[in-house]
């Protein structure tokens, strides 16, 4: 099993004709993802050849969905145009929109998140500023390297792309049902809690690894959710124990103000909810092994 994407997912790539979109489309194809089209306004009717695949390009998400049955879009659109691309995907009511783009203004992210809510949450947004989602051996929607792990029994949800890769590699012999990089911006679509709930309901996910970082209160809220709703073992890691107050660490949302949002406070909340928390990524991987 898997969450959010699987071997039946039919994926389009918004921005596929750009350099990043084309490069990562090739990688997603190599991982076994079913890529059925690309979307670039003004380039409808063209095709892009990647390896042995000739992939059609459409002017709009709605047209791509109508012609291909696409249910997932991966968005590689520059920040200036990202809001319009996500809104278009929401208006077309595609089931999943994975927003890879970094540097989207928070106002724009808040706008398209609110737009998705107003449209009845028919479109799940992952991101922005995220590595995407991968169900190893089934589908890869984003930029997560497909060759660093295997299919298995662990579910992973992470704010950090780099730590997503590290934990996937360290636990590659056990493998993952799905790994979800939710992004570290202040406003994101899918949250830790959304992924935790999906993993709890997935019969083939036996253990959950949750990676957080300093800033905000998402991890504290996730801890409360785990305590009340998750029966599977959860292992956690919070990046940023050595971050000084007021220092932004990598992501726009990763900033500590006073006692709020510190790694120590987050770890304490997780441990109080029964989550085993590692002090380093390697220790976190060891804890996961001990619980399986």
């Amino acid at each position: 099993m898997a969450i959010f994407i699987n071997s039946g997912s039919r994926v389009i790539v918004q921005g596929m004709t750009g350099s990043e979109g084309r490069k990562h489309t090739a990688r997603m194809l190599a991982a076994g993802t079913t890529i059925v089209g690309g979307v670039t306004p003004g380039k409808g009717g063209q095709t892009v050849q990647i390896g042995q695949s000739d992939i059609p390009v459409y002017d709009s998400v709605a047209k791509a969905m109508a012609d291909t049955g696409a249910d997932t879009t991966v968005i590689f659109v520059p920040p200036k145009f990202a809001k319009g691309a996500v809104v278009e995907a929401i208006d077309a009511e595609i089931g999943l929109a994975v927003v890879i783009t970094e540097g989207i203004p928070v106002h724009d992210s808040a706008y398209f998140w609110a737009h998705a809510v107003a449209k009845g949450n028919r479109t799940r947004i992952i991101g922005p500023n995220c590595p995407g989602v991968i169900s190893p051996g089934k589908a890869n929607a984003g930029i997560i390297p497909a060759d660093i792990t295997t299919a298995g029994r662990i579910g992973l949800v992470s704010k950090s792309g780099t730590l997503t890769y590290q934990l996937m590699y360290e636990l590659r012999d056990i493998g993952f049902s799905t790994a979800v990089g939710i992004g570290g911006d202040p406003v994101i679509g899918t949250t830790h809690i959304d992924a935790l709930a999906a993993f709890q309901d997935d019969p083939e996910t036996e253990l959950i690894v949750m990676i957080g970082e300093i800033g905000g209160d998402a991890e504290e809220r996730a801890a409360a959710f785990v305590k009340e709703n998750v029966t599977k073992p959860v292992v956690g890691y919070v990046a940023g124990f050595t971050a000084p107050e007021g220092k932004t660490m990598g992501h726009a949302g990763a900033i500590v103000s006073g006692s709020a949002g510190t790694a120590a406070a987050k770890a304490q909340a997780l441990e109080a909810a029964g989550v085993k928390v590692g002090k380093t990524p390697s220790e976190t991987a060891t804890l996961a092994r001990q619980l399986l």
Side-chain angles (χ1 to χ4, degrees):
M1 294 290 288
I3 68 168
F4 304 153
I5 60 169
N6 54 47
S7 56
S9 298
R10 297 177 64 81
V11 180
I12 56 174
V13 179
Q14 289 174 258
M16 188 178 70
T17 56
S19 60
E20 288 298 305
R22 185 185 182 98
K23 176 177 70 178
H24 289 293
T25 297
R27 292 179 176 176
M28 288 186 281
L29 281 168
T33 310
T34 302
I35 306 287
V36 296
V39 176
T40 301
K43 295 188 177 182
Q46 298 182 17
T47 60
V48 173
Q49 184 173 15
I50 299 178
Q52 301 301 311
S53 301
D54 287 318
I55 305 173
V57 179
Y58 297 91
D59 284 321
S60 69
V61 174
K63 176 63 173 171
M65 290 175 65
D67 282 10
T68 68
D71 52 31
T72 299
T73 181
V74 186
I75 298 174
F76 292 96
V77 175
K80 181 178 179 180
F81 306 107
K83 181 178 81 170
V86 181
V87 168
E88 179 187 347
I90 294 166
D91 286 342
E93 298 186 359
I94 199 163
L96 177 66
V98 181
V99 189
I100 305 299
T101 307
E102 182 177 3
I104 298 175
V106 175
H107 179 271
D108 288 357
S109 298
Y111 181 95
F112 60 66
W113 176 84
H115 188 63
V117 173
K119 294 283 286 188
N121 283 319
R122 294 181 176 89
T123 300
R124 171 179 294 282
I125 298 169
I126 296 179
N129 187 17
C130 76
V133 54
I134 182 172
S135 296
K138 299 181 178 70
N140 183 8
I143 63 174
I144 297 173
D147 58 354
I148 60 172
T149 196
T150 57
R153 300 174 286 157
I154 300 172
L156 172 66
V157 55
S158 173
K159 276 185 178 180
S160 165
T162 304
L163 292 173
T164 297
Y165 311 152
Q166 181 171 351
L167 267 296
M168 289 175 69
Y169 181 76
E170 293 209 23
L171 293 166
R172 63 194 181 281
D173 56 322
I174 300 172
F176 292 80
S177 55
T178 303
V180 187
I182 58 175
D185 280 4
V187 176
I188 57 173
T190 296
T191 65
H192 282 115
I193 291 173
D194 296 327
L196 287 164
F199 283 131
Q200 171 67 18
D201 292 340
D202 176 23
E204 293 188 12
T205 297
E206 297 181 15
L207 176 139
I208 304 166
V209 175
M210 179 187 133
I211 301 173
E213 63 186 11
I214 60 171
D217 65 349
E219 293 79 6
E220 288 88 344
R221 287 184 282 114
F225 181 84
V226 168
K227 186 173 184 179
E228 295 296 325
N229 299 281
V230 179
T231 59
K232 297 177 180 181
V234 181
V235 175
Y237 174 68
V238 181
F241 271 97
T242 60
E245 181 179 334
K247 176 68 174 177
T248 300
M249 301 292 287
H251 291 145
I255 186 168
V256 172
S257 300
S259 61
T262 64
K266 292 175 184 296
Q268 184 177 8
L270 289 166
E271 288 171 342
V275 176
K276 300 293 185 182
V277 180
K279 293 183 175 62
T280 67
S282 294
E283 182 180 316
T284 305
T286 298
L287 290 170
R289 291 180 184 283
Q290 293 170 353
L291 291 173
L292 279 173

